Amino acid sequence: MRFSRPLRIQTRSFWLSMPVITLMWNAILYPGRFLTDWRVWFISWPIIYGIGIVSWYLHIQYDHAIRRKFPSLKETGKRIFFKTFTNPLVMTPSVLLIFYLYDYFHILGYQLRTADLKWGYLIGLAINLLFDTLWEVLYLLEKYRESLSERELLEKMSMEHEFENLKGQVNPHFLFNCFNTLSSLIEEDKKEAEHFLDELSKVYRYLLRNNEEGISTVEKEVKFIQSYYELLRTRYGEGLQLSIEIDRRYYPYQLPTLSLQLLVENAVKHNIVSRQQPLVMEIFTTAGNKLVVNNNLQRKTMNKPSTQIGLSNIRAKYRLMKQDGFQVVEGEKNFMVVLPLIWNNN
């Protein structure tokens, strides 16, 4: 048979309630002298306490057995139903034992009276219902907290899994585009291709190191985009222009890693980039903890098939972080993306 250790609240309940129960039962057993007769204190009190301990311990075992049988929040109704049997199985026999024991042995001259059984039962029932309700409420609260913790853990695990998937999308996509650029350069200018490859290795090492965390500071992202811009300048020259105006107070703020790189890459991919029609990009911060990436709109007439990774990737990361404020605004002459900046309280 498996015995359960009483919980702290159950132990405290016993030591708080037992003096009250003992006093009230002694008042029933020995009215008029339960406070003044020293024999009541030295004989009757220990007897009732002893029976009370046994009764309480059996009550605990029954309560824990029901919890093991029906542990979940969904089974609360079943648990409460079976707890109603505590009275006939534990409490009632304990009350009868006390009064019939006292009567049989005439302890301190006691003789059983019918009314004593009624009042003794009502006292036991009231105390029993009070603490059974308290224990069940505390058990429900604990289970509810566990349920919330499990849900948060599952959400976190799901979030981390999705982040891993999103990170896995970025690196191959980035490499694919760079290799296409490198392939074009090899045919046009081998020396420039070597320079591009050298810059690519530096940028890609930086990309790998920072992409592991999923979220980065504005300062790191700006430094990276400056390096990435130099890489693009190797390919496009004066056809691509980038200005960066970031208020330094926003440097410690955070945003999804590689957000700026994805937006610059998308702009280059979907717009004409040439000396005659330069693609002009601006990255700047605004009031309200926002970072804006803006570019003039000059769509290519024949776009390559989109992989739908750039904007959807960033939007998904903000969704996973439960952060509102991500906006995409497309006008007739410009394309703008607003990134909410996140303050890290840690």
Side-chain angles (χ1 to χ4, degrees):
M1 183 177 178
R2 181 180 175 183
F3 292 98
S4 300
R5 184 178 180 181
L7 301 175
R8 183 178 299 178
I9 183 63
Q10 293 173 328
T11 303
R12 288 179 177 176
S13 300
F14 173 78
W15 293 114
L16 287 173
S17 63
M18 203 57 206
V20 178
I21 295 173
T22 306
L23 182 65
M24 295 177 73
W25 271 340
N26 276 312
I28 296 171
L29 291 165
Y30 308 110
R33 60 188 178 106
F34 68 97
L35 292 177
T36 57
D37 190 339
W38 65 269
R39 294 176 302 170
V40 172
W41 293 92
F42 285 94
I43 298 175
S44 182
W45 275 71
I47 294 174
I48 294 176
Y49 252 88
I51 296 174
I53 290 174
V54 174
S55 176
W56 167 78
Y57 189 76
L58 292 175
H59 188 170
I60 296 300
Q61 300 310 311
Y62 182 73
D63 183 76
H64 286 210
I66 293 172
R67 291 185 183 185
R68 287 194 298 270
K69 183 70 174 177
F70 309 106
S72 69
L73 287 171
K74 293 180 180 180
E75 297 172 306
T76 298
K78 293 180 181 179
R79 206 166 46 249
I80 292 174
F81 171 75
F82 281 99
K83 281 190 175 186
T84 59
F85 291 99
T86 304
N87 287 313
L89 292 176
V90 179
M91 194 273 292
T92 301
S94 300
V95 172
L96 293 175
L97 175 63
I98 289 174
F99 287 102
Y100 281 107
L101 179 71
Y102 272 64
D103 179 68
Y104 183 80
F105 290 102
H106 297 292
I107 297 174
L108 301 180
Y110 176 76
Q111 289 185 338
L112 182 63
R113 297 176 294 270
T114 304
D116 294 351
L117 290 174
K118 180 185 71 173
W119 289 111
Y121 177 80
L122 290 176
I123 291 170
L125 178 63
I127 298 295
N128 187 77
L129 288 176
L130 173 64
F131 286 106
D132 252 348
T133 302
L134 173 63
W135 296 348
E136 182 62 22
V137 168
L138 293 176
Y139 180 77
L140 287 174
L141 289 175
E142 182 62 29
K143 281 295 177 181
Y144 183 68
R145 282 195 295 266
E146 288 178 7
S147 176
L148 289 180
S149 298
E150 289 174 1
R151 193 177 306 165
E152 289 173 0
L153 179 60
L154 288 174
E155 288 179 357
K156 183 179 178 182
M157 290 173 65
S158 175
M159 182 185 299
E160 289 175 351
H161 178 69
E162 290 191 49
F163 259 124
E164 290 300 318
N165 287 339
L166 292 171
K167 290 191 298 185
Q169 291 175 351
V170 171
N171 291 337
H173 185 252
F174 174 74
L175 271 181
F176 179 77
N177 283 279
C178 286
F179 285 150
N180 277 344
T181 303
L182 181 60
S183 176
S184 301
L185 276 176
I186 289 173
E187 295 179 3
E188 299 172 8
D189 190 336
K190 290 186 177 180
K191 185 176 181 180
E192 194 66 23
E194 290 179 3
H195 176 68
F196 182 88
L197 185 59
D198 182 59
E199 289 296 322
L200 174 60
S201 64
K202 294 177 184 177
V203 169
Y204 196 67
R205 280 197 299 271
Y206 187 87
L207 182 150
L208 285 175
R209 186 167 60 249
N210 287 275
N211 193 32
E212 288 302 313
E213 297 179 0
I215 190 166
S216 182
T217 63
V218 170
E219 184 176 14
K220 287 182 179 179
E221 284 294 290
V222 168
K223 286 182 179 178
F224 173 73
I225 205 62
Q226 288 170 335
S227 299
Y228 182 66
Y229 173 62
E230 290 302 317
L231 189 67
L232 294 177
R233 287 272 292 179
T234 305
R235 174 69 180 90
Y236 296 105
E238 294 180 4
L240 180 64
Q241 300 174 16
L242 175 66
S243 66
I244 301 176
E245 295 183 12
I246 304 294
D247 191 328
R248 288 183 174 272
R249 69 189 178 94
Y250 288 115
Y251 274 7
Y253 282 71
Q254 296 180 324
L255 70 164
T257 304
L258 303 180
S259 296
L260 299 183
Q261 183 265 330
L262 284 171
L263 293 175
V264 171
E265 184 180 38
N266 267 11
V268 171
K269 178 180 178 181
H270 296 293
N271 291 278
I272 297 171
V273 185
S274 68
R275 185 189 297 269
Q276 294 74 26
Q277 290 181 274
L279 178 64
V280 180
M281 300 198 67
E282 303 170 295
I283 300 176
F284 55 91
T285 50
T286 65
N289 305 335
K290 291 180 173 58
L291 188 147
V292 178
V293 180
N294 181 66
N295 64 271
N296 59 324
L297 201 57
Q298 41 194 39
R299 295 284 191 186
K300 293 178 180 178
T301 53
M302 294 294 291
N303 261 333
K304 296 179 181 179
S306 175
T307 56
Q308 299 295 319
I309 286 178
L311 292 174
S312 61
N313 185 293
I314 301 170
R315 182 180 286 108
K317 286 183 177 179
Y318 274 112
R319 175 180 58 81
L320 288 172
M321 292 186 291
K322 299 180 180 179
Q323 183 70 38
D324 298 325
F326 177 77
Q327 298 179 52
V328 177
V329 182
E330 183 173 353
E332 293 183 4
K333 297 183 178 180
N334 73 303
F335 186 86
M336 182 172 66
V337 177
V338 180
L339 303 172
L341 301 179
I342 306 162
W343 175 248
N344 183 11
N345 292 320
N346 298 330

